[in-house]
Amino acid sequence: EIVLTQSPGTLSLSPGERATLSCRASQSVSINYLAWYQQKPGQAPRLLIYGTSNRATGIPDRFSGSESGTDFTLTISRLEPEDFAVYYCQQYGSSLWTFGQGTKVEMK
Amino acid sequence: QVQLQESGPGLVKPSETLSLTCTVSGGSISSYYWTWIRQPPGKGLEWIGNIHYSGPTNSIPSLKSRVTMSIDTSKNQFSLRLTSVTAADTAVYYCARGYRSSWYVWLDPWGQGTLVTVSS
């Protein structure tokens, strides 16, 4: 089973700053099979990015995704107030879908 | 657009069976992987499993022996049964539409979630 480890656990930033979130896989993950979700308090998660770097419908272009080997990154270029939330990476492999433990982006 | 809504008891006694249904509206349940995910209070997301519209199911190994999923295409619904529950099964349970091809996977949209508490 592939384990996804997200870091940092919490990111304290101010609006307008750049956020860089990491998701490291315990073994190789296809770039096609890595997605990112945003979850705000009391809400269901929302799909942000699929296939490592493709933005879902309606997602602003300040959100971007990339990869380097088994490391995947979600970047928010300039934080807006509505971006403070928890972010999860998710992968598919060997018939299993797994999530990372999440990174909380909080307002400094 | 497609919307999903979970329904079922909010309170289940220990050792009993948790049963939830997800109703899909605004689109057909044919195609896709219809998925259950849970989130214990204050914790992260856990994929429970999914059922393909044609019937095959898959679930996380740690729950496999206790999970049953089914689909009713005539009602545009799919269901989850989790047997022999304990307090560790207390969570918000979400249903979601899953897509998997050679190119992409994603879960979208999600239902709003329903809290199930296991307690006597």
Side-chain angles (χ1 to χ4, degrees), chain B residues 19-97:
Chain B
S19 294
L20 295 174
T21 296
C22 183
T23 301
V24 179
S25 60
S28 173
I29 204 167
S30 297
S31 194
Y32 301 107
Y33 291 83
W34 300 97
T35 304
W36 292 98
I37 305 105
R38 69 181 182 178
Q39 185 171 37
K43 296 189 178 180
L45 302 169
E46 180 179 48
W47 178 81
I48 298 172
N50 59 30
I51 181 166
H52 191 250
Y53 79 101
S54 61
T57 63
N58 216 342
S59 55
I60 192 170
S62 60
L63 296 177
K64 207 173 190 73
S65 64
R66 297 195 290 132
V67 165
T68 303
M69 289 173 285
S70 60
I71 193 163
D72 187 336
T73 53
S74 67
K75 293 183 179 178
N76 254 25
Q77 293 178 333
F78 61 105
S79 299
L80 170 72
R81 282 171 45 92
L82 180 65
T83 62
S84 305
V85 297
T86 69
D89 295 310
T90 293
V92 174
Y93 285 75
Y94 295 100
C95 59
R97 182 179 68 174

Side-chain angles (χ1 to χ4, degrees), chain A residues 32-33 37 39 44 92 95 97, chain B residues 39 47 58 101-103 107 111:
Chain A
N32 293 346
Y33 291 163
Y37 301 82
Q39 186 179 33
Y92 169 80
S95 300
W97 304 50
Chain B
Q39 185 171 37
W47 178 81
N58 216 342
S101 72
S102 300
W103 302 105
L107 293 165

